[in-house]
Amino acid sequence: MSCCESCKPKTKILAVIFDLDGTILDTERLTKGLLKEYLAKYGKEVDMEREEKKRMGMTQKESAAAIVKDYAVPLTPDQYIKEITPMYREKWLQAKPLPGANRLMKHLHKHGVPFALASNSLREYIDAKISLQKGWKEYFSVILGSDQVKSGKPSPDLFEEAAKRMGVTAAHSLVIEDSLVGVQAANAAKMKVVAVPSYSETDCYALADSVLHSLLEFQPEQWGLPPFDDWVDNALPIEPIHVTIVSANGSVCEVIENGVSALSDQIFGVYFGWAKVDLHKRFKVVVSIGWDQCSCISKRKFHICIIDGNIDCISSQQSQLTLVGYICGLNSKDITSMTVEVLEEYKSVANASMDLPMFVQNSYEPLLSEACALED
């Protein structure tokens, strides 16, 4: 992947500051239903629209006070925190890195670029959230929680302190955020900021220097950082993405379990991998994953192209998708609107890549697990 003339460095970045929840770790999707479950005990009904818009980026104490007040919960904010925190801790341990997060951190570490973690969470909770993420605690030059500075985001305190501890100026610091308050904090700190917002957090767009659908779209060379060197021709190996789908009447939908999607909002673009119908049948596929712009509610939009067959191979039944490679972002288009030539190019890239060791290795894990289960 080469950098064109229009992609020359915007500025020379010497250090990167990451937000945590929803930016590099998929905690927010996992904990989305916890408040509803908790409030039901008190006969209260959660207002999801208010929660998604109002609480994003708040400190714990601010959020607790607002929830107790908004829902008239018969507790003090401290009592509420004591009751609900164990529920969150259990979910945090199940959280996985968001697409491209591990890749970017390993890349920066490899090239000696310092990077920090600055979150509105308490430091104690940050440590709990990243405790099972291999190498994370060692990778970060600085880790800061909102209880370690005067004020959390949107105040610039967290980012200013992180830069100070890394020995860099604001002008040479790049913030990566997913929330509006985080972007506002970066602006207040006079730092460059890349937003990787969730589908509902579109307020970030106007304030950020760059907006991405996922960190897989991040191009270090645009910020004067060393470019990635992990593309294999036109395909990028990724940590496997597993999702169950059902195809019927020409449309493809995710099978949602327990009300929680298996996919983070940042899974967006053109991928490839395998569709497994049963233990003995699987097909190579190219998949575009986006959002249904015409729907009154946010809904995933899938389009699948079977490389070694046709869509009838998986029609009217559940299939397990294992996506192992990434080709590109969507640019608001999906596979159905692509030209035949472009689609054939994607199919060619995917077909050639899926025979290579770096793409094959992880794709067999679900099959092996099921085979072992059957033998037991």
Side-chain angles (χ1 to χ4, degrees):
M1 305 289 283
S2 61
C3 188
C4 62
E5 285 298 311
S6 62
C7 298
K8 286 183 177 178
K10 296 179 171 69
T11 189
K12 176 63 178 175
I13 294 300
L14 300 178
V16 177
I17 306 173
F18 291 96
D19 172 52
L20 178 60
D21 301 292
T23 299
I24 58 173
L25 193 62
D26 192 17
T27 49
E28 292 175 346
R29 181 181 59 85
L30 285 177
T31 58
K32 195 172 184 180
L34 282 185
L35 183 59
K36 179 181 179 181
E37 179 186 336
Y38 177 82
L39 289 176
K41 296 192 305 182
Y42 292 93
K44 311 291 182 180
E45 193 170 322
V46 70
D47 181 340
M48 289 310 299
E49 183 177 352
R50 173 166 54 186
E51 295 312 312
E52 289 179 358
K53 292 291 183 183
K54 186 175 179 181
R55 317 286 182 218
M56 189 72 74
M58 280 187 175
T59 64
Q60 183 191 39
K61 286 189 175 182
E62 290 169 343
S63 178
I67 288 170
V68 167
K69 179 182 177 182
D70 290 346
Y71 294 102
V73 178
L75 300 170
T76 66
D78 286 342
Q79 289 171 328
Y80 164 80
I81 290 170
K82 186 175 180 180
E83 283 193 0
I84 202 167
T85 297
M87 299 169 67
Y88 277 93
R89 281 184 177 275
E90 184 180 347
K91 291 292 185 182
W92 292 339
L93 296 178
Q94 301 170 28
K96 295 181 179 179
L98 284 161
N102 270 330
R103 175 196 184 214
L104 178 54
M105 287 191 286
K106 289 177 181 177
H107 178 75
L108 296 174
H109 187 260
K110 172 184 172 183
H111 290 281
V113 179
F115 53 97
L117 182 57
S119 169
N120 260 1
S121 290
L122 301 180
R123 175 58 192 267
E124 173 192 354
Y125 295 163
I126 294 173
D127 290 339
K129 291 172 185 179
I130 69 174
S131 62
L132 297 184
Q133 306 305 322
K134 187 176 179 181
W136 280 27
K137 201 163 185 179
E138 294 73 32
Y139 282 155
F140 289 109
S141 302
V142 175
I143 299 177
L144 284 174
S146 60
D147 55 327
Q148 295 176 279
V149 294
K150 183 178 178 181
S151 302
K153 307 166 193 176
S155 159
D157 294 359
L158 276 163
F159 295 145
E160 288 175 346
E161 181 64 21
K164 178 182 175 183
R165 293 194 187 189
M166 288 189 289
V168 295
T169 63
H172 295 102
S173 300
L174 176 68
V175 172
I176 300 181
E177 266 283 355
D178 74 309
S179 71
L180 176 60
V181 294
V183 172
Q184 289 172 330
N187 288 166
K190 296 181 171 50
M191 296 178 182
K192 297 295 184 182
V193 57
V194 171
V196 194
S198 64
Y199 184 74
S200 61
E201 192 78 3
T202 55
D203 293 338
C204 295
Y205 289 13
L207 298 177
D209 295 284
S210 175
V211 179
L212 309 177
H213 290 108
S214 86
L215 287 176
L216 293 175
E217 297 178 1
F218 185 78
Q219 294 179 288
E221 61 271 28
Q222 291 190 359
W223 304 98
L225 296 167
F228 286 120
D229 57 3
D230 52 354
W231 286 83
V232 181
D233 292 328
N234 292 309
L236 176 67
I238 60 172
E239 297 168 55
I241 297 168
H242 305 292
V243 59
T244 302
I245 59 161
V246 62
S247 172
N249 302 320
S251 64
V252 179
C253 299
E254 179 187 0
V255 177
I256 305 289
E257 296 183 8
N258 302 318
V260 180
S261 170
L263 302 176
S264 68
D265 284 8
Q266 287 84 352
I267 295 176
F268 184 99
V270 181
Y271 300 82
F272 61 85
W274 282 265
K276 179 170 66 65
V277 179
D278 56 41
L279 194 57
H280 305 290
K281 262 195 221 177
R282 69 178 197 159
F283 305 91
K284 292 180 178 180
V285 293
V286 172
V287 182
S288 77
I289 304 175
W291 291 95
D292 187 350
Q293 303 289 345
C294 301
S295 176
C296 57
I297 58 172
S298 57
K299 190 169 67 173
R300 284 290 184 179
K301 190 172 185 180
F302 295 81
H303 284 287
I304 297 182
C305 178
I306 310 291
I307 295 173
D308 47 357
N310 58 61
I311 195 65
D312 293 336
C313 298
I314 62 171
S315 186
S316 302
Q317 55 191 318
Q318 286 192 15
S319 304
Q320 305 291 327
L321 288 184
T322 299
L323 306 178
V324 296
Y326 172 81
I327 297 176
C328 64
L330 277 178
N331 295 321
S332 300
K333 295 184 179 180
D334 56 54
I335 282 184
T336 58
S337 63
M338 293 175 190
T339 64
V340 173
E341 291 79 8
V342 170
L343 183 52
E344 287 302 315
E345 179 187 346
Y346 290 163
K347 287 167 66 176
S348 176
V349 167
N351 198 34
S353 299
M354 282 191 281
D355 292 327
L356 299 176
M358 66 284 292
F359 293 100
V360 171
Q361 183 177 0
N362 291 325
S363 67
Y364 282 96
E365 289 177 2
L367 288 177
L368 291 173
S369 299
E370 289 189 17
C372 291
L374 288 174
E375 288 175 7
D376 292 342

